[in-house]
């Protein structure tokens, strides 16, 4: 399956909406950014919006490529679902997720990746694409705000190091002010 990248400007309204939603509804984000919305907006502007198509024809039997999180495997990203659905699998008591729960738009996964040291976040759940398509914001506090050419290099490194992302993805860049 081929991949395609399109770089477009993200509107200030979209960035503001996502920032307000995250700050209002996610206690870890509130604690991490406290009263500094500018840093939260900087994180969102530097983050990648990825669109994927589920590779499995049967949503109840996901292929390995359909997993964004695998329990026990290190992951540096926090995911905000913008459209589509993911199914969460967890066998661990107290993980905050029940096995087989479907999460849709405005659900957030892996928020601990933003508050732990890079390379130390290991999810206690697995999550796979259960809708035909999904679009999500992939955030990491360990990214710098990059120039457009650096963003392309960084995104290509991300995509090549995560071979399960073999379909269409989009990187949106903030308006320069």
């Amino acid at each position: 399956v081929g991949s395609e990248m399109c770089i477009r400007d993200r509107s200030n309204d979209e960035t503001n909406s996502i920032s307000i939603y995250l700050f209002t509804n996610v206690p870890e984000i509130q604690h991490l950014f406290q009263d500094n919305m500018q840093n939260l907006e900087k994180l969102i502007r530097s983050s990648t919006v990825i669109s994927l198509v589920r590779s499995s024809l049967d949503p109840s039997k996901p292929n390995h490529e359909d997993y964004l999180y695998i329990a026990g495997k290190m992951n540096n990203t926090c995911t905000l679902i913008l459209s589509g659905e993911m199914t969460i699998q967890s066998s661990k008591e107290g993980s905050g997720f029940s096995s087989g729960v479907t999460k849709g738009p405005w659900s957030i996964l892996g928020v601990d990746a933003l508050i732990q040291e890079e390379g130390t976040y290991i999810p206690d759940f697995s999550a796979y694409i259960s809708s035909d398509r999904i679009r999500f914001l992939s955030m990491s506090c360990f990214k710098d705000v990059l120039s457009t050419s650096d963003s392309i290099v960084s995104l290509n490194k991300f995509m090549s190091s995560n071979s399960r992302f073999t379909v269409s993805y989009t990187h949106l860049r903030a308006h320069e002010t």
Side-chain angles (χ1 to χ4, degrees), residues 7-84:
I7 298 176
R8 297 179 293 177
D9 288 334
R10 174 182 294 140
S11 73
N12 286 331
D13 287 344
E14 182 179 23
T15 299
N16 290 338
S17 295
I18 292 171
S19 299
I20 290 167
Y21 174 80
L22 291 173
F23 192 81
T24 303
N25 294 290
V26 183
E28 296 88 347
I29 299 283
Q30 291 171 0
H31 178 72
L32 184 62
F33 293 98
Q34 296 183 2
D35 294 322
N36 194 338
M37 286 294 281
Q38 288 179 332
N39 282 343
L40 177 56
E41 289 172 358
K42 182 179 176 181
L43 169 67
I44 292 165
R45 283 187 190 104
S46 68
S47 296
T48 305
V49 172
I50 301 173
S51 296
L52 297 175
V53 176
R54 186 184 67 238
S55 67
S56 170
L57 297 177
D58 182 352
S60 66
K61 296 179 183 176
N63 292 335
H64 181 73
E65 295 83 20
D66 294 328
Y67 282 87
L68 298 180
Y69 292 89
I70 298 174
K73 185 175 179 184
M74 193 275 301
N75 192 314
N76 279 334
T77 60
C78 173
T79 300
L80 175 66
I81 301 171
L82 300 173
S83 64

Side-chain angles (χ1 to χ4, degrees), residues 68-77 90 92 95 97 109-126 142:
L68 298 180
Y69 292 89
I70 298 174
K73 185 175 179 184
M74 193 275 301
N75 192 314
N76 279 334
T77 60
S90 178
K92 188 172 182 178
S95 67
F97 297 113
L109 304 170
V111 73
D112 288 344
L114 297 177
I115 57 178
Q116 293 182 5
E117 286 187 43
E118 184 173 16
T120 65
Y121 174 61
I122 299 176
D124 57 0
F125 64 92
S126 295
F142 310 104

